[in-house]
Amino acid sequence: SIKVIEHLPHPFQFVEIAATVLADGGRMLLETPCTRHPLARKAAKDWRYICPPWHLSLFNEKSLGSLFERAGLQLEQTWQHTHKAYISGVARKAT
């Protein structure tokens, strides 16, 4: 099943478990709303992605990278989307 990381009560546990099934050198891609995106900053408290109880965790480049690294993955890249207030990140399992 597909999970949406910002909807999970324990996103670290999800990434940690998912990392265990990655092959050596395998990559994980996550996409989620980004708190540091210019559209999020402009909207401030009215940002549409601040919507508990559906969005339980919000991320930015630093926190998404930390999430990967805590799960034993090596962060390769993060990037913000231009057309929506999202961030994507790719991490690799060490060989």
PDB file of all heavy atoms in Angstrom, residues 2-27:
ATOM      1  N   ILE A   2       0.347   2.334  -0.493  1.00  0.00           N
ATOM      2  CA  ILE A   2       1.083   3.596  -0.550  1.00  0.00           C
ATOM      3  C   ILE A   2       0.747   4.405   0.695  1.00  0.00           C
ATOM      4  O   ILE A   2      -0.400   4.530   1.071  1.00  0.00           O
ATOM      5  CB  ILE A   2       0.726   4.379  -1.817  1.00  0.00           C
ATOM      6  CG1 ILE A   2       1.171   3.580  -3.042  1.00  0.00           C
ATOM      7  CG2 ILE A   2       1.344   5.763  -1.805  1.00  0.00           C
ATOM      8  CD1 ILE A   2       0.778   4.187  -4.346  1.00  0.00           C
ATOM      9  N   LYS A   3       1.756   4.912   1.320  1.00  0.00           N
ATOM     10  CA  LYS A   3       1.585   5.751   2.503  1.00  0.00           C
ATOM     11  C   LYS A   3       1.980   7.176   2.162  1.00  0.00           C
ATOM     12  O   LYS A   3       2.848   7.413   1.344  1.00  0.00           O
ATOM     13  CB  LYS A   3       2.455   5.244   3.662  1.00  0.00           C
ATOM     14  CG  LYS A   3       2.194   3.813   4.049  1.00  0.00           C
ATOM     15  CD  LYS A   3       0.841   3.680   4.676  1.00  0.00           C
ATOM     16  CE  LYS A   3       0.619   2.239   5.108  1.00  0.00           C
ATOM     17  NZ  LYS A   3      -0.727   1.968   5.476  1.00  0.00           N
ATOM     18  N   VAL A   4       1.347   8.096   2.807  1.00  0.00           N
ATOM     19  CA  VAL A   4       1.698   9.504   2.643  1.00  0.00           C
ATOM     20  C   VAL A   4       2.359   9.929   3.950  1.00  0.00           C
ATOM     21  O   VAL A   4       1.724   9.963   4.992  1.00  0.00           O
ATOM     22  CB  VAL A   4       0.444  10.337   2.317  1.00  0.00           C
ATOM     23  CG1 VAL A   4       0.810  11.786   2.079  1.00  0.00           C
ATOM     24  CG2 VAL A   4      -0.278   9.762   1.106  1.00  0.00           C
ATOM     25  N   ILE A   5       3.628  10.246   3.877  1.00  0.00           N
ATOM     26  CA  ILE A   5       4.467  10.428   5.061  1.00  0.00           C
ATOM     27  C   ILE A   5       3.904  11.454   6.048  1.00  0.00           C
ATOM     28  O   ILE A   5       3.972  11.254   7.252  1.00  0.00           O
ATOM     29  CB  ILE A   5       5.927  10.751   4.649  1.00  0.00           C
ATOM     30  CG1 ILE A   5       6.886  10.552   5.809  1.00  0.00           C
ATOM     31  CG2 ILE A   5       6.052  12.122   4.053  1.00  0.00           C
ATOM     32  CD1 ILE A   5       7.225   9.137   6.102  1.00  0.00           C
ATOM     33  N   GLU A   6       3.299  12.536   5.566  1.00  0.00           N
ATOM     34  CA  GLU A   6       2.775  13.552   6.478  1.00  0.00           C
ATOM     35  C   GLU A   6       1.511  13.099   7.204  1.00  0.00           C
ATOM     36  O   GLU A   6       1.109  13.708   8.180  1.00  0.00           O
ATOM     37  CB  GLU A   6       2.539  14.884   5.752  1.00  0.00           C
ATOM     38  CG  GLU A   6       1.434  14.862   4.728  1.00  0.00           C
ATOM     39  CD  GLU A   6       1.881  14.436   3.341  1.00  0.00           C
ATOM     40  OE1 GLU A   6       3.019  13.963   3.159  1.00  0.00           O
ATOM     41  OE2 GLU A   6       1.062  14.588   2.423  1.00  0.00           O
ATOM     42  N   HIS A   7       0.914  12.011   6.773  1.00  0.00           N
ATOM     43  CA  HIS A   7      -0.298  11.484   7.407  1.00  0.00           C
ATOM     44  C   HIS A   7       0.003  10.444   8.483  1.00  0.00           C
ATOM     45  O   HIS A   7      -0.909  10.036   9.207  1.00  0.00           O
ATOM     46  CB  HIS A   7      -1.226  10.842   6.364  1.00  0.00           C
ATOM     47  CG  HIS A   7      -1.815  11.824   5.415  1.00  0.00           C
ATOM     48  ND1 HIS A   7      -3.156  12.140   5.421  1.00  0.00           N
ATOM     49  CD2 HIS A   7      -1.250  12.576   4.429  1.00  0.00           C
ATOM     50  CE1 HIS A   7      -3.393  13.025   4.474  1.00  0.00           C
ATOM     51  NE2 HIS A   7      -2.250  13.317   3.863  1.00  0.00           N
ATOM     52  N   LEU A   8       1.231  10.015   8.568  1.00  0.00           N
ATOM     53  CA  LEU A   8       1.582   8.928   9.490  1.00  0.00           C
ATOM     54  C   LEU A   8       1.873   9.450  10.892  1.00  0.00           C
ATOM     55  O   LEU A   8       2.594  10.437  11.052  1.00  0.00           O
ATOM     56  CB  LEU A   8       2.808   8.178   8.971  1.00  0.00           C
ATOM     57  CG  LEU A   8       2.652   7.525   7.603  1.00  0.00           C
ATOM     58  CD1 LEU A   8       3.970   6.902   7.177  1.00  0.00           C
ATOM     59  CD2 LEU A   8       1.546   6.489   7.625  1.00  0.00           C
ATOM     60  N   PRO A   9       1.360   8.757  11.918  1.00  0.00           N
ATOM     61  CA  PRO A   9       1.647   9.184  13.286  1.00  0.00           C
ATOM     62  C   PRO A   9       3.111   8.966  13.679  1.00  0.00           C
ATOM     63  O   PRO A   9       3.629   9.654  14.547  1.00  0.00           O
ATOM     64  CB  PRO A   9       0.709   8.345  14.149  1.00  0.00           C
ATOM     65  CG  PRO A   9       0.322   7.197  13.304  1.00  0.00           C
ATOM     66  CD  PRO A   9       0.427   7.637  11.874  1.00  0.00           C
ATOM     67  N   HIS A  10       3.785   8.026  13.012  1.00  0.00           N
ATOM     68  CA  HIS A  10       5.190   7.719  13.331  1.00  0.00           C
ATOM     69  C   HIS A  10       5.991   7.605  12.029  1.00  0.00           C
ATOM     70  O   HIS A  10       6.343   6.509  11.609  1.00  0.00           O
ATOM     71  CB  HIS A  10       5.281   6.421  14.134  1.00  0.00           C
ATOM     72  CG  HIS A  10       4.448   6.433  15.371  1.00  0.00           C
ATOM     73  ND1 HIS A  10       4.760   7.191  16.473  1.00  0.00           N
ATOM     74  CD2 HIS A  10       3.275   5.817  15.666  1.00  0.00           C
ATOM     75  CE1 HIS A  10       3.837   7.029  17.397  1.00  0.00           C
ATOM     76  NE2 HIS A  10       2.916   6.212  16.929  1.00  0.00           N
ATOM     77  N   PRO A  11       6.274   8.736  11.386  1.00  0.00           N
ATOM     78  CA  PRO A  11       6.958   8.665  10.091  1.00  0.00           C
ATOM     79  C   PRO A  11       8.335   8.019  10.162  1.00  0.00           C
ATOM     80  O   PRO A  11       8.735   7.334   9.223  1.00  0.00           O
ATOM     81  CB  PRO A  11       7.041  10.120   9.643  1.00  0.00           C
ATOM     82  CG  PRO A  11       6.847  10.928  10.873  1.00  0.00           C
ATOM     83  CD  PRO A  11       6.007  10.109  11.799  1.00  0.00           C
ATOM     84  N   PHE A  12       9.051   8.204  11.275  1.00  0.00           N
ATOM     85  CA  PHE A  12      10.374   7.586  11.378  1.00  0.00           C
ATOM     86  C   PHE A  12      10.266   6.070  11.325  1.00  0.00           C
ATOM     87  O   PHE A  12      11.043   5.408  10.641  1.00  0.00           O
ATOM     88  CB  PHE A  12      11.097   8.018  12.660  1.00  0.00           C
ATOM     89  CG  PHE A  12      12.352   7.222  12.892  1.00  0.00           C
ATOM     90  CD1 PHE A  12      13.448   7.393  12.077  1.00  0.00           C
ATOM     91  CD2 PHE A  12      12.398   6.272  13.899  1.00  0.00           C
ATOM     92  CE1 PHE A  12      14.604   6.633  12.262  1.00  0.00           C
ATOM     93  CE2 PHE A  12      13.546   5.514  14.090  1.00  0.00           C
ATOM     94  CZ  PHE A  12      14.649   5.699  13.268  1.00  0.00           C
ATOM     95  N   GLN A  13       9.317   5.501  12.022  1.00  0.00           N
ATOM     96  CA  GLN A  13       9.157   4.050  12.010  1.00  0.00           C
ATOM     97  C   GLN A  13       8.876   3.542  10.603  1.00  0.00           C
ATOM     98  O   GLN A  13       9.403   2.512  10.186  1.00  0.00           O
ATOM     99  CB  GLN A  13       8.057   3.614  12.966  1.00  0.00           C
ATOM    100  CG  GLN A  13       8.435   3.776  14.414  1.00  0.00           C
ATOM    101  CD  GLN A  13       7.276   3.427  15.350  1.00  0.00           C
ATOM    102  OE1 GLN A  13       6.131   3.327  14.945  1.00  0.00           O
ATOM    103  NE2 GLN A  13       7.612   3.254  16.616  1.00  0.00           N
ATOM    104  N   PHE A  14       8.053   4.260   9.861  1.00  0.00           N
ATOM    105  CA  PHE A  14       7.766   3.863   8.484  1.00  0.00           C
ATOM    106  C   PHE A  14       9.043   3.857   7.645  1.00  0.00           C
ATOM    107  O   PHE A  14       9.327   2.893   6.938  1.00  0.00           O
ATOM    108  CB  PHE A  14       6.723   4.798   7.859  1.00  0.00           C
ATOM    109  CG  PHE A  14       6.579   4.605   6.389  1.00  0.00           C
ATOM    110  CD1 PHE A  14       5.875   3.522   5.889  1.00  0.00           C
ATOM    111  CD2 PHE A  14       7.163   5.485   5.498  1.00  0.00           C
ATOM    112  CE1 PHE A  14       5.743   3.325   4.517  1.00  0.00           C
ATOM    113  CE2 PHE A  14       7.043   5.300   4.124  1.00  0.00           C
ATOM    114  CZ  PHE A  14       6.329   4.223   3.639  1.00  0.00           C
ATOM    115  N   VAL A  15       9.818   4.942   7.701  1.00  0.00           N
ATOM    116  CA  VAL A  15      11.043   5.031   6.898  1.00  0.00           C
ATOM    117  C   VAL A  15      12.052   3.981   7.349  1.00  0.00           C
ATOM    118  O   VAL A  15      12.704   3.345   6.523  1.00  0.00           O
ATOM    119  CB  VAL A  15      11.639   6.458   6.960  1.00  0.00           C
ATOM    120  CG1 VAL A  15      12.996   6.521   6.267  1.00  0.00           C
ATOM    121  CG2 VAL A  15      10.668   7.448   6.329  1.00  0.00           C
ATOM    122  N   GLU A  16      12.159   3.768   8.640  1.00  0.00           N
ATOM    123  CA  GLU A  16      13.090   2.768   9.164  1.00  0.00           C
ATOM    124  C   GLU A  16      12.732   1.374   8.655  1.00  0.00           C
ATOM    125  O   GLU A  16      13.602   0.623   8.208  1.00  0.00           O
ATOM    126  CB  GLU A  16      13.072   2.809  10.693  1.00  0.00           C
ATOM    127  CG  GLU A  16      14.090   1.896  11.351  1.00  0.00           C
ATOM    128  CD  GLU A  16      14.052   2.020  12.857  1.00  0.00           C
ATOM    129  OE1 GLU A  16      12.939   2.049  13.440  1.00  0.00           O
ATOM    130  OE2 GLU A  16      15.139   2.081  13.444  1.00  0.00           O
ATOM    131  N   ILE A  17      11.459   1.021   8.700  1.00  0.00           N
ATOM    132  CA  ILE A  17      11.029  -0.297   8.225  1.00  0.00           C
ATOM    133  C   ILE A  17      11.212  -0.401   6.709  1.00  0.00           C
ATOM    134  O   ILE A  17      11.696  -1.411   6.195  1.00  0.00           O
ATOM    135  CB  ILE A  17       9.576  -0.581   8.642  1.00  0.00           C
ATOM    136  CG1 ILE A  17       9.504  -0.775  10.154  1.00  0.00           C
ATOM    137  CG2 ILE A  17       9.011  -1.796   7.914  1.00  0.00           C
ATOM    138  CD1 ILE A  17       8.099  -0.765  10.728  1.00  0.00           C
ATOM    139  N   ALA A  18      10.819   0.647   5.992  1.00  0.00           N
ATOM    140  CA  ALA A  18      10.984   0.641   4.540  1.00  0.00           C
ATOM    141  C   ALA A  18      12.449   0.492   4.150  1.00  0.00           C
ATOM    142  O   ALA A  18      12.777  -0.206   3.179  1.00  0.00           O
ATOM    143  CB  ALA A  18      10.391   1.908   3.938  1.00  0.00           C
ATOM    144  N   ALA A  19      13.343   1.095   4.911  1.00  0.00           N
ATOM    145  CA  ALA A  19      14.778   1.004   4.619  1.00  0.00           C
ATOM    146  C   ALA A  19      15.285  -0.427   4.738  1.00  0.00           C
ATOM    147  O   ALA A  19      16.205  -0.816   4.029  1.00  0.00           O
ATOM    148  CB  ALA A  19      15.565   1.924   5.550  1.00  0.00           C
ATOM    149  N   THR A  20      14.671  -1.217   5.612  1.00  0.00           N
ATOM    150  CA  THR A  20      15.135  -2.599   5.786  1.00  0.00           C
ATOM    151  C   THR A  20      14.849  -3.471   4.571  1.00  0.00           C
ATOM    152  O   THR A  20      15.521  -4.478   4.375  1.00  0.00           O
ATOM    153  CB  THR A  20      14.517  -3.260   7.039  1.00  0.00           C
ATOM    154  OG1 THR A  20      13.108  -3.406   6.841  1.00  0.00           O
ATOM    155  CG2 THR A  20      14.806  -2.473   8.292  1.00  0.00           C
ATOM    156  N   VAL A  21      13.865  -3.108   3.760  1.00  0.00           N
ATOM    157  CA  VAL A  21      13.552  -3.926   2.584  1.00  0.00           C
ATOM    158  C   VAL A  21      14.241  -3.424   1.320  1.00  0.00           C
ATOM    159  O   VAL A  21      14.157  -4.065   0.284  1.00  0.00           O
ATOM    160  CB  VAL A  21      12.025  -4.042   2.345  1.00  0.00           C
ATOM    161  CG1 VAL A  21      11.356  -4.711   3.522  1.00  0.00           C
ATOM    162  CG2 VAL A  21      11.394  -2.711   2.052  1.00  0.00           C
ATOM    163  N   LEU A  22      14.929  -2.286   1.409  1.00  0.00           N
ATOM    164  CA  LEU A  22      15.689  -1.798   0.264  1.00  0.00           C
ATOM    165  C   LEU A  22      16.913  -2.680   0.041  1.00  0.00           C
ATOM    166  O   LEU A  22      17.600  -3.066   0.992  1.00  0.00           O
ATOM    167  CB  LEU A  22      16.186  -0.372   0.505  1.00  0.00           C
ATOM    168  CG  LEU A  22      15.237   0.781   0.270  1.00  0.00           C
ATOM    169  CD1 LEU A  22      15.915   2.096   0.640  1.00  0.00           C
ATOM    170  CD2 LEU A  22      14.753   0.821  -1.164  1.00  0.00           C
ATOM    171  N   ALA A  23      17.197  -2.978  -1.204  1.00  0.00           N
ATOM    172  CA  ALA A  23      18.432  -3.672  -1.537  1.00  0.00           C
ATOM    173  C   ALA A  23      19.598  -2.727  -1.296  1.00  0.00           C
ATOM    174  O   ALA A  23      19.429  -1.498  -1.288  1.00  0.00           O
ATOM    175  CB  ALA A  23      18.398  -4.098  -3.000  1.00  0.00           C
ATOM    176  N   ASP A  24      20.789  -3.272  -1.078  1.00  0.00           N
ATOM    177  CA  ASP A  24      21.976  -2.431  -0.963  1.00  0.00           C
ATOM    178  C   ASP A  24      22.077  -1.559  -2.213  1.00  0.00           C
ATOM    179  O   ASP A  24      21.944  -2.055  -3.341  1.00  0.00           O
ATOM    180  CB  ASP A  24      23.243  -3.268  -0.812  1.00  0.00           C
ATOM    181  CG  ASP A  24      23.334  -3.937   0.547  1.00  0.00           C
ATOM    182  OD1 ASP A  24      22.538  -3.584   1.437  1.00  0.00           O
ATOM    183  OD2 ASP A  24      24.190  -4.827   0.710  1.00  0.00           O
ATOM    184  N   GLY A  25      22.257  -0.271  -2.015  1.00  0.00           N
ATOM    185  CA  GLY A  25      22.315   0.669  -3.121  1.00  0.00           C
ATOM    186  C   GLY A  25      20.942   1.133  -3.592  1.00  0.00           C
ATOM    187  O   GLY A  25      20.848   2.005  -4.448  1.00  0.00           O
ATOM    188  N   GLY A  26      19.876   0.561  -3.018  1.00  0.00           N
ATOM    189  CA  GLY A  26      18.522   0.950  -3.385  1.00  0.00           C
ATOM    190  C   GLY A  26      18.211   2.361  -2.913  1.00  0.00           C
ATOM    191  O   GLY A  26      18.799   2.868  -1.964  1.00  0.00           O
ATOM    192  N   ARG A  27      17.266   2.978  -3.582  1.00  0.00           N
ATOM    193  CA  ARG A  27      16.908   4.370  -3.265  1.00  0.00           C
ATOM    194  C   ARG A  27      15.459   4.481  -2.817  1.00  0.00           C
ATOM    195  O   ARG A  27      14.598   3.744  -3.285  1.00  0.00           O
ATOM    196  CB  ARG A  27      17.130   5.254  -4.480  1.00  0.00           C
ATOM    197  CG  ARG A  27      18.601   5.460  -4.764  1.00  0.00           C
ATOM    198  CD  ARG A  27      18.802   6.350  -5.983  1.00  0.00           C
ATOM    199  NE  ARG A  27      20.185   6.737  -6.131  1.00  0.00           N
ATOM    200  CZ  ARG A  27      21.122   5.975  -6.663  1.00  0.00           C
ATOM    201  NH1 ARG A  27      20.836   4.769  -7.077  1.00  0.00           N
ATOM    202  NH2 ARG A  27      22.363   6.411  -6.757  1.00  0.00           N
TER     203      ARG A  27
END
